[in-house]
Amino acid sequence: MSGHTACLAHLADLDRDAYLAGLAPGADIDHRGTSFTGSLLGALLNALRDPATGHPRVGGAKFESATFEGDVWFESVTFEDLAWFESATFKGHAGFRSATFKGSAGFRSTTFEDTAGFGLATFEGNAWFQFATFEDDAWFQSATFKGNAGFRSTTFKGVAGFGLATFEDLAWFESAGFEGSTGFRSATFENSVVFGAATFKGKAWFESATFKGNAGFDSATFEGKAGFESATFKGDAWFESATFKEAVTVGPLVCAGRVLLSGATFGGPVTLAFAAQRLECRRTRWSSTAEVRLRYATVDVAHAVFEYPLTIAAEPDPFVLADGRQLAEDPFERAPGPGVRVASLRGVDAAHLVLADVNLSGCLFAGTVHLDQLRLEGACTFDTAPPAVHWRRWWPMWFTKRRVLAEEHHWRASQPRAVRGWNIAVLGAGRTGPLQLAPVYRALRKAFEDGKHEPGAADFYYGEMEMRRHADDIPRSERGLLTAYWALSGYGLRASRALAWLGAAMLLTIVLLMAVGLAKDTPKQTATGTVPAGGGKVTFEIDKDDPHSPTGNRFTGKRFEKALNVTLNSVVFRSSGQDLTTAGTYIEMTSRLTEPVLLTLAVLAVRNRVKR
């Protein structure tokens, strides 16, 4: 102590009494390295008691490396300036309930061997608890941290209670160790909070907590249950590389920004329930069954790994909490709808993946493994081809409505003569061409076929054939055949196209038959024979005149009726029995070859569209 060679605990009684009598409320005190008993600390605080409030009022307080032997009570004490307890040791209960720290409060490397109570305490400056150790329970209920709250590498061996606490500035819990239960129920974080690399060995409760800034749980480890029911994140929630070792239910919660689970690991069954703007699960690993129920979100699960069934489903109605109340979704009041969109499945093994009622219009599928085993439940929607008629120079172009992958949109939009309506690639989508998309369409077609959804499978068959036709690795002959197949019947899926060609072929056949195919008149038959002189059998030779090419008016009603008869019989591969010229014979042969094929393609297209 100043003016003495001994600390307050070892002063003579007269000297100690004189020192205490000389103190006034608001005085600075310096008792570094001092050993305090409960009675000695009580005497010191009584000397600093403010008559106006009845509570001690201290100026600057220095208790570095001090030792508090028994229970000590700093309740309702006001520290007007800096309060330093760094490396101090509290061997009994440390009571700071309702204390007010107007300057910075330092508890770095402090050891609390018994319980510590900071309930209703107010830290108006920065509060530093780095490397502090709480051997027993630590209570900070309803405490208010107006400055930075630093708990880096702090160890909580008992219960850590921060229920209803308010953090008005940055809060740091990096590498903190929570060995008992941890409670942040209804806590409010006005700014960002960081729990990076923290370890929660017991239960971690964040129910009804409010995070107004970003919340970082990067590389955190949850060895027990983690409860975030009714929590609200107004910024981003970072759980990248976090580890959840047991069965866990995260949510339902609301996040106005992104929930980042990329690189996270789930060791047990998990249920995630989020009303969020975006959910990122890149390279996330699920080691047990998992269900992800979402509202409003765009989810990215690229390169995620799941060894058991994983379900990603859209929740049509607001989440219901354990008490029966609906989860408030204030950040999404103006959202157009609660629909869920999948952004990417690249690098995923889809053998255990189930998607229900999600929007796949922007989903990237190229690189997905076992895509043919993907299960689609409910109303899963895809993007479609541009619906309007487009003009390429003088030629009209239109695309029949069908399910189209986002990657085909991106590829067609990148072509030099692309028509309007195809969506350009988003940043990070990469370049995917017909060669890569053909097997993707093929796998999705099989998935739809296995699900007994033939019309949907037909759309993906059309897409597969389109990609094959445009691919660079096929010979010209094959491309020519595919082009003819596409032009005549839309790969056997467009009945209207095949019927249009059939009608045109029939009309052309009728016109040609009336013009050059039907004979002028029905050829007459002539019978000639010779009667033997001595009698006997008469032999007749019946001859028929060759049909003559028509002259004069060839387009009459009678000739039209004959031509129509020939054509209709050709469609069903029958001979009409009409008298035809040589040209008419070849016209009929051609008609009997082409028109049944076109009719078959039309029937096939109808069947593919209505089959279940």
Side-chain angles (χ1 to χ4, degrees), residues 261 264-270 272 280-292 299-312 342 344-355 365 367-371 373-375:
L261 286 169
T265 301
F266 294 90
V270 60
L272 307 179
E280 295 187 2
C281 298
R282 299 191 189 99
R283 295 179 175 82
T284 303
R285 177 179 290 274
W286 283 276
S287 298
S288 186
T289 56
E291 181 181 20
V292 182
V299 56
D300 184 351
V301 292
H303 305 285
V305 177
F306 29 90
E307 304 170 12
Y308 293 87
L310 168 67
T311 300
I312 300 176
V342 179
S344 178
L345 293 177
R346 287 184 173 175
V348 168
D349 187 341
H352 298 292
L353 181 60
V354 180
L355 302 178
F365 285 95
T368 305
V369 181
H370 294 142
L371 189 56
Q373 300 180 38
L374 173 67
R375 287 183 54 192

Side-chain angles (χ1 to χ4, degrees), residues 57-116:
R57 181 164 57 87
V58 184
K62 296 181 179 180
F63 289 95
E64 293 101 313
S65 301
T67 300
F68 299 88
E69 297 291 343
D71 296 344
V72 293
W73 305 95
F74 287 89
E75 293 188 357
S76 301
V77 173
T78 299
F79 295 89
E80 299 282 352
D81 205 339
L82 302 178
W84 296 111
F85 291 84
E86 295 182 357
S87 300
T89 300
F90 293 84
K91 295 188 175 181
H93 173 74
F96 287 85
R97 184 178 179 83
S98 299
T100 301
F101 298 85
K102 293 188 176 181
S104 295
F107 289 87
R108 293 184 181 92
S109 302
T110 301
T111 300
F112 298 86
E113 297 183 0
D114 206 330
T115 56

Side-chain angles (χ1 to χ4, degrees), residues 105-239:
F107 289 87
R108 293 184 181 92
S109 302
T110 301
T111 300
F112 298 86
E113 297 183 0
D114 206 330
T115 56
F118 289 85
L120 295 172
T122 301
F123 297 86
E124 297 185 4
N126 298 328
W128 306 115
F129 287 84
Q130 293 96 319
F131 302 102
T133 300
F134 295 85
E135 300 283 350
D136 209 322
D137 298 343
W139 302 102
F140 289 84
Q141 296 101 322
S142 301
T144 300
F145 298 84
K146 295 186 178 181
N148 293 329
F151 288 86
R152 288 191 183 98
S153 301
T154 302
T155 300
F156 299 87
K157 294 187 177 181
V159 175
F162 288 85
L164 296 170
T166 300
F167 298 84
E168 296 185 3
D169 210 329
L170 299 176
W172 306 92
F173 289 86
E174 288 176 298
S175 302
F178 299 89
E179 298 183 7
S181 295
T182 305
F184 284 87
R185 291 184 175 93
S186 300
T188 300
F189 298 88
E190 300 282 349
N191 208 324
S192 296
V193 57
V194 179
F195 286 89
T199 301
F200 299 86
K201 293 187 176 180
K203 298 177 181 179
W205 304 112
F206 290 85
E207 289 94 336
S208 300
T210 301
F211 301 85
K212 295 186 178 180
N214 295 329
F217 292 85
D218 310 67
S219 302
T221 300
F222 297 86
E223 297 186 5
K225 294 183 178 180
F228 287 85
E229 186 180 45
S230 192
T232 300
F233 296 83
K234 295 187 177 181
D236 294 339
W238 298 331
F239 290 88

Side-chain angles (χ1 to χ4, degrees), residues 236-241 258-262 278-281:
D236 294 339
W238 298 331
F239 290 88
E240 294 176 305
S241 300
R258 300 174 299 164
V259 179
L260 305 178
L261 286 169
S262 297
R278 186 175 179 87
L279 172 63
E280 295 187 2
C281 298

